[in-house]
């Protein structure tokens, strides 16, 4: 599945298909988290936040979970707090 996602992502990037790029990055991040490749998951989620869905509470929450899984507790809490602050 990983190779298929990579090939699809490369094709989407060549076509500048931003919605598909976002969807594939999120899928790859989810697979990376499930297989404990946390640096990849973190990088993909950060990319989506920076380039596709800035300040998305859903993506921020996913990233906080990855940070928590990787032992970056302080960063995870800070990210979760920022999501909650915006929600008030």
């Amino acid at each position: 599945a990983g190779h298929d996602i990579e090939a699809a992502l490369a094709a989407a990037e060549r076509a500048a298909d931003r919605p598909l790029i976002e969807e594939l990055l999120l899928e790859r991040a989810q697979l990376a988290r499930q297989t404990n490749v946390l640096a990849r998951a973190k990088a993909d989620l950060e990319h989506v936040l920076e380039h596709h869905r800035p300040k998305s509470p859903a993506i921020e929450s996913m990233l906080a979970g990855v940070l928590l899984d990787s032992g970056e507790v302080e960063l995870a809490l800070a990210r979760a707090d920022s999501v909650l602050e915006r929600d008030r």
Side-chain angles (χ1 to χ4, degrees):
H3 180 70
D4 293 342
I5 289 178
E6 297 302 322
L9 185 56
E13 287 171 343
R14 283 191 302 276
D17 185 339
R18 291 179 55 80
L20 183 56
I21 292 168
E22 178 186 333
E23 182 180 333
L24 290 167
L25 286 171
L26 291 174
E27 183 67 29
R28 187 171 71 177
Q30 183 179 11
L31 287 170
R33 185 175 184 194
Q34 290 171 352
T35 56
N36 215 35
V37 184
L38 300 175
R40 170 83 274 155
K42 179 181 172 186
D44 285 346
L45 293 171
E46 287 173 339
H47 184 88
V48 170
L49 278 169
E50 186 175 333
H51 299 286
H52 299 278
R53 287 176 44 194
K55 299 188 186 287
S56 164
I59 307 301
E60 292 272 6
S61 297
M62 290 170 66
L63 182 53
V66 169
L67 291 168
L68 197 56
D69 289 350
S70 67
E72 297 178 72
V73 177
E74 293 299 319
L75 285 174
L77 291 174
R79 204 157 281 270
D81 284 344
S82 73
V83 171
L84 293 173
E85 278 300 313
R86 282 191 304 245
D87 214 25
R88 290 186 181 143

